[in-house]
Amino acid sequence: MKKSIMALSATLLLGGAVSAQKVVFEEYTLDNGLHVILQNDPSAPVVITSVMYHVGAKNENPERTGFAHFFEHLLFEGTENIKRGEWFKIVTGNGGTNNANTTEDRTYYYEVFPSNNLELGLWMEAERMLHPVINQIGVDTQNEVVKEEKRLRYDNSPYGQLIPEVKKKMFKNHPYRWTTIGSMDHLDAAKLDEFKEFNNKFYVPNNAVLVVAGDFNKNQAKEWIQKYFGVIKKGATIDRETFTEEPITQTIKSKFEDPNIQIPMVVASYRTPSMKTRDARVLDFISTILSDGKSSRLYKKIVDDKKMALQIGAFSYSQEDYGTYILYGLPQAPSTAENILAEIDSEIVKLQTELISEKELKKLQNKYDNQYVNSNSTIEGIAENLATFHLLYKDVNLINTEIEMYHTITPEEIRAVAKKYLNPNQRLVLDYVPTDKSNN
């Protein structure tokens, strides 16, 4: 069913897509500052309880990086009323699933239960906020978990240092210069009181949004929300520092040797504006044109037609303050990194000088309609979108209206934004190469 809906969505006009997918919600704020969003959908007998906190890697002390991601793990350790090691047992024992994730800007926790367990989900998230047990055994245990994750995802993974290296070079002042996993030395050096202070500062109701989505009785949900969350004290006002980066005005050249790879990679990275801006949406279109899938301009030209690269692609890091657009290619001999970069540049110049066709624009609109329908096709997707649009965009109704913004982007805008952000003097060029074993 889900696949057929997705396939159908690609042929829908904007009005049809929006009306079919309109998300109806109610929002209000408790006296302690906790923002609440309720989205009722009785189509399936499941309910999600989720809490998003406005704390991520950018809120860390530069000498204590990795704290926000560490708390993603630590706050599953237990509470005053949930014994250590019991959290996941309670969830699975009641037919549920749960997870959490962290970015540079926020931390997100959720549980999905059969609808008759809504009260349990609310109680557990309130327990996490009100009564977390932060002790040395929990810190030591999760420290080992995080170290293993870092070894797996970064240290021992092919191209695992790509994002850390790009971040270090692209940002000089902003905390985006480090990864969410942070430094193991920083975590090792941290005292227990530092973890407690971090919790008391950020994991408070006035720094969070609670979303309940799925099949539930709204009046009953409100009673339980007041019962479990209303008693939690408001935290101190959080002073948020603003970090500004000077524009990149000349190419940053860098090289990194990775012992885990055999094939070199060339990387071109551009700093882009906040995800809240219109330009960021236009850059989404540009990224799709250049590098999204095998029909994209770069893949078709460099991989399929000229066979100059084994792979070509991109990462788009959309963030609250700045974004990063990262293009990469794996050269295929006899082609070199310089050849690949020249081909990438020629396609960018085309976007800067020529208007895309109406057919190409319609294809983009259809693709984004498809993504829009897909992102709101599950209660998990709806809950996270509602939380994100409130917390980071300050406009919950973007869940319904953002797609309209994409439909108003013009070929002229695409050309102008490409000219504004994607020039050779505005980027990092990173040669990501195998370690030279002759030097060992």
Side-chain angles (χ1 to χ4, degrees), residues 216-249:
F216 62 93
N217 179 285
K218 192 176 290 187
N219 291 332
Q220 179 65 79
K222 288 181 177 180
E223 287 182 21
W224 284 332
I225 289 167
Q226 183 61 42
K227 175 181 177 181
Y228 294 116
F229 288 93
V231 298
I232 304 175
K233 290 183 180 180
K234 186 175 185 176
T237 301
I238 299 170
D239 293 325
R240 298 184 184 274
E241 190 174 353
T242 300
F243 298 91
T244 303
E245 289 286 341
E246 292 298 319
I248 298 171
T249 57

Side-chain angles (χ1 to χ4, degrees), residues 189-233:
K191 306 298 183 187
L192 184 60
D193 283 347
E194 293 179 80
F195 291 105
K196 291 181 178 180
E197 288 168 9
F198 195 81
N199 179 77
N200 292 337
K201 181 176 182 179
F202 292 110
Y203 298 85
V204 292
N206 46 304
N207 195 43
V209 54
L210 165 70
V211 178
V212 179
D215 181 22
F216 62 93
N217 179 285
K218 192 176 290 187
N219 291 332
Q220 179 65 79
K222 288 181 177 180
E223 287 182 21
W224 284 332
I225 289 167
Q226 183 61 42
K227 175 181 177 181
Y228 294 116
F229 288 93
V231 298
I232 304 175
K233 290 183 180 180

Side-chain angles (χ1 to χ4, degrees), residues 106-354:
R106 93 297 180 273
T107 306
Y108 185 59
Y109 301 89
Y110 68 90
E111 294 79 30
V112 182
F113 280 117
S115 4
N116 61 345
N117 278 326
L118 170 60
E119 184 177 13
L120 175 61
L122 291 170
W123 172 74
M124 292 183 79
E125 283 302 335
E127 273 291 298
R128 195 198 307 268
M129 188 182 293
L130 179 60
H131 295 132
V133 172
I134 298 174
N135 56 24
Q136 198 61 51
I137 187 172
V139 168
D140 291 344
T141 300
Q142 295 308 323
N143 203 345
E144 290 306 311
V145 172
V146 171
K147 284 179 179 176
E148 181 57 30
E149 181 179 344
K150 184 174 183 294
R151 284 190 287 266
L152 184 66
R153 290 176 53 193
Y154 294 92
D155 300 343
N156 300 324
S157 175
Y159 309 101
Q161 297 300 319
L162 171 61
I163 300 303
E165 284 301 307
V166 168
K167 281 173 155 288
K168 281 191 289 187
K169 299 298 187 298
M170 293 294 288
F171 296 98
K172 301 301 180 186
N173 301 316
H174 201 288
Y176 287 163
R177 65 185 181 271
W178 59 78
T179 59
T180 54
I181 204 151
S183 163
M184 298 306 100
D185 289 342
H186 292 175
L187 294 176
D188 286 342
K191 306 298 183 187
L192 184 60
D193 283 347
E194 293 179 80
F195 291 105
K196 291 181 178 180
E197 288 168 9
F198 195 81
N199 179 77
N200 292 337
K201 181 176 182 179
F202 292 110
Y203 298 85
V204 292
N206 46 304
N207 195 43
V209 54
L210 165 70
V211 178
V212 179
D215 181 22
F216 62 93
N217 179 285
K218 192 176 290 187
N219 291 332
Q220 179 65 79
K222 288 181 177 180
E223 287 182 21
W224 284 332
I225 289 167
Q226 183 61 42
K227 175 181 177 181
Y228 294 116
F229 288 93
V231 298
I232 304 175
K233 290 183 180 180
K234 186 175 185 176
T237 301
I238 299 170
D239 293 325
R240 298 184 184 274
E241 190 174 353
T242 300
F243 298 91
T244 303
E245 289 286 341
E246 292 298 319
I248 298 171
T249 57
Q250 61 182 34
T251 305
I252 303 167
K253 294 186 177 180
S254 185
K255 180 179 179 181
F256 181 79
E257 294 188 359
D258 187 339
N260 299 308
I261 67 170
Q262 295 179 324
I263 301 171
M265 174 186 285
V266 61
V267 179
S269 177
Y270 304 82
R271 192 188 303 144
T272 54
S274 163
M275 63 189 185
K276 294 178 281 189
T277 63
R278 183 175 177 88
D279 279 1
R281 273 90 172 190
V282 179
L283 283 160
D284 287 341
F285 266 18
I286 290 172
S287 175
T288 301
I289 294 166
L290 288 176
S291 57
D292 186 12
K294 294 186 176 181
S295 65
S296 65
R297 291 186 179 188
L298 291 178
Y299 191 95
K300 192 170 186 311
K301 179 182 180 183
I302 299 173
V303 178
D304 276 355
D305 295 347
K306 295 194 172 183
K307 301 192 179 349
M308 296 173 62
L310 297 168
Q311 190 176 345
I312 199 109
F315 298 103
S316 188
Y317 261 76
S318 296
Q319 297 168 303
E320 188 176 16
D321 299 337
Y322 292 98
T324 313
Y325 180 45
I326 307 167
L327 287 157
Y328 69 91
L330 303 179
Q332 178 167 275
S335 297
T336 64
E338 290 76 16
N339 299 148
I340 300 294
L341 196 57
E343 294 292 343
I344 289 173
D345 285 346
S346 71
E347 288 303 316
I348 290 174
V349 168
K350 280 185 184 177
L351 281 177
Q352 293 173 330
T353 55
E354 302 172 10

